[in-house]
């Protein structure tokens, strides 16, 4: 089994790395900012000093960090991954970042004789912990086949969508669908609740019809129960919708409802909710209605 370097052991990255350890992979992490989680160390995670050392020790290097600048820094910054690469290694970025910058990153890695895959994920913390993530991959066939056994330890729906950058484009499209569906669920529950219906029972009824969705199931429950501890933070979804809107501008495409939903996220962030779960978008609608789902003034 190949040795895996894993950079980015956050809400998503830590359980993903844990599944690789459980499957018997040797996993190496960096203590660049902080010591790795104790539960992963107990499973056998090894740490080295700096990203270059991770790349030097590993056959496959996975990055799972918040945004494009962080990926650029991890890969190409001081003591970055490129300083530890050797011909034949595989770099996989599982972050959600700019499709345009991804193509640039891939070209630079390829010029060093290494392969590159962009493989962003969907499913949030729940999917990361359950190893049921959807993984949308951009890259060539050969490195994809090499990486597939690794992906299968972290996800279920794994698709090579196209060349480098297309994985990230697919993730942006995913985030449009997720954001707009969260907004639709929030509108429905605010409307029904203020009309006097029990939002928990409304959600239960809707789960049996055409309106049923994973977002109604999971995020609708969060809205009803007021549990907004982050599985995926509002500030990260803002970042993804910015990528969508910037891309749409470059393509000459109109995304009117994406733009509106971004304004609702902006409202939440302006009111101190940037680090709450993206299901807390409902708070923006509640403020406009002066009514909280469940029957209280907002």
């Amino acid at each position: 089994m190949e040795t895996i370097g894993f950079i980015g052991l956050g809400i998503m990255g830590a359980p993903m790395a844990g599944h690789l350890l459980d499957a018997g992979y040797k996993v190496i992490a960096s203590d660049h900012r902080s010591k790795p989680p104790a539960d992963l160390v107990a499973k056998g995670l090894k740490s080295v000093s700096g990203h270059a050392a991770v790349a030097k020790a590993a056959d496959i290097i996975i990055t799972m960090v918040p945004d494009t600048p962080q990926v650029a820094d991890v890969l190409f910054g001081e003591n970055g991954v490129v300083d530890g690469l050797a011909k034949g290694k595989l770099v996989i970025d599982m972050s959600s970042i700019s499709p345009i910058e991804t193509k640039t990153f891939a070209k630079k890695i390829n010029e060093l004789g290494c392969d590159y895959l962009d493989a962003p994920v969907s499913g949030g913390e729940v999917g990361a912990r359950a190893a049921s993530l959807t993984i949308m991959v951009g890259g060539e066939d050969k490195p994809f086949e090499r990486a597939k056994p690794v992906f299968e330890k972290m996800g279920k729906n794994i698709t090579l969508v196209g060349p480098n950058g297309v994985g990230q484009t697919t993730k942006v499209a995913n985030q449009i669908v997720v954001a707009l569906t969260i907004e639709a669920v929030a509108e429905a529950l605010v409307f029904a609740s203020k009309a006097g219906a029990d939002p928990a029972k409304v959600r239960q009824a809707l789960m049996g019809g055409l309106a049923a969705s994973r977002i109604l199931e999971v995020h609708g429950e969060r809205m009803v129960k007021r549990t907004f501890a982050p599985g995926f933070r509002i500030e990260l979804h803002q970042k993804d919708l910015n990528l969508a809107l910037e891309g749409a501008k470059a393509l000459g495409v109109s995304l009117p409802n994406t733009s509106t939903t971004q304004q609702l996220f902006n409202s939440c962030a302006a009111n101190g909710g940037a680090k709450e779960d993206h299901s807390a978008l409902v708070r923006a609608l509640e403020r406009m209605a002066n009514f909280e789902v469940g029957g209280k003034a907002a």
Side-chain angles (χ1 to χ4, degrees):
M1 299 177 77
E2 296 190 279
T3 298
I4 311 295
F6 207 109
I7 300 171
L9 299 174
I11 289 175
M12 299 284 289
M16 291 164 69
H19 294 312
L20 296 177
L21 288 163
D22 291 340
Y25 283 98
K26 182 178 179 181
V27 181
I28 311 252
S30 170
D31 57 9
H32 177 68
R33 289 180 178 270
S34 60
K35 292 188 179 299
D39 62 323
L40 296 185
V41 174
K43 290 183 177 184
L45 181 78
K46 305 297 182 185
S47 63
V48 293
S49 182
H51 304 321
V54 172
K56 187 174 182 179
D59 304 303
I60 297 174
I61 302 94
I62 296 173
T63 56
M64 186 64 174
V65 296
D67 202 351
T68 309
Q70 286 79 26
V71 176
D73 182 60
V74 165
L75 295 180
F76 308 109
E78 184 178 354
N79 198 27
V81 165
V82 293
D83 295 324
L85 289 179
K87 189 174 180 179
K89 297 199 176 191
L90 170 59
V91 177
I92 306 173
D93 178 37
M94 302 190 77
S95 319
S96 296
I97 67 167
S98 164
I100 295 171
E101 290 301 308
T102 289
K103 293 177 184 179
T104 301
F105 297 163
K107 186 173 184 293
K108 289 181 178 180
I109 297 297
N110 292 158
E111 288 171 350
L112 297 173
C114 300
D115 290 313
Y116 189 96
L117 296 173
D118 49 293
V121 303
S122 179
E125 182 184 7
V126 172
R129 292 191 178 280
S132 61
L133 293 168
T134 289
I135 305 175
M136 42 212 100
V137 187
E140 300 300 321
D141 289 338
K142 190 173 179 179
F144 173 72
E145 290 302 323
R146 178 181 176 184
K148 196 171 181 181
V150 177
F151 291 148
E152 287 171 344
K153 301 300 182 290
M154 300 181 285
K156 299 295 185 187
N157 181 22
I158 303 159
T159 307
L160 178 61
V161 187
N164 285 130
V166 175
Q168 294 294 353
T169 297
T170 305
K171 177 58 187 288
V172 171
N174 178 86
Q175 294 303 80
I176 293 171
V177 173
V178 170
L180 270 60
T181 308
I182 289 174
E183 196 279 338
V185 169
E187 279 197 20
L189 292 181
V190 169
F191 166 77
S193 186
K194 192 160 187 180
D198 181 336
K201 291 183 178 179
V202 169
R203 172 185 161 277
Q204 181 180 354
L206 294 179
M207 283 300 298
L210 193 59
S213 71
R214 182 69 172 154
I215 287 171
L216 177 62
E217 178 187 357
V218 176
H219 290 48
E221 183 177 44
R222 287 173 180 256
M223 294 173 196
V224 170
K225 292 185 176 180
R226 321 304 294 171
T227 52
F228 298 125
F232 188 77
R233 301 192 302 274
I234 280 175
E235 62 187 354
L236 293 180
H237 214 139
Q238 286 179 291
K239 176 260 296 183
D240 291 339
L241 294 193
N242 279 338
L243 293 174
L245 295 169
E246 289 166 5
K249 183 177 180 181
L251 293 167
V253 173
S254 295
L255 300 177
N257 292 325
T258 301
S259 181
T260 299
T261 303
Q262 180 73 311
Q263 292 302 319
L264 294 173
F265 278 137
N266 291 346
S267 172
C268 290
N271 283 274
K275 296 190 183 300
E276 289 188 314
D277 186 78
H278 52 174
S279 59
L281 176 144
V282 71
R283 293 192 193 275
L285 297 169
E286 289 171 338
R287 280 190 291 271
M288 288 189 283
N290 191 32
F291 190 86
E292 183 180 286
V293 169
K296 301 177 183 178

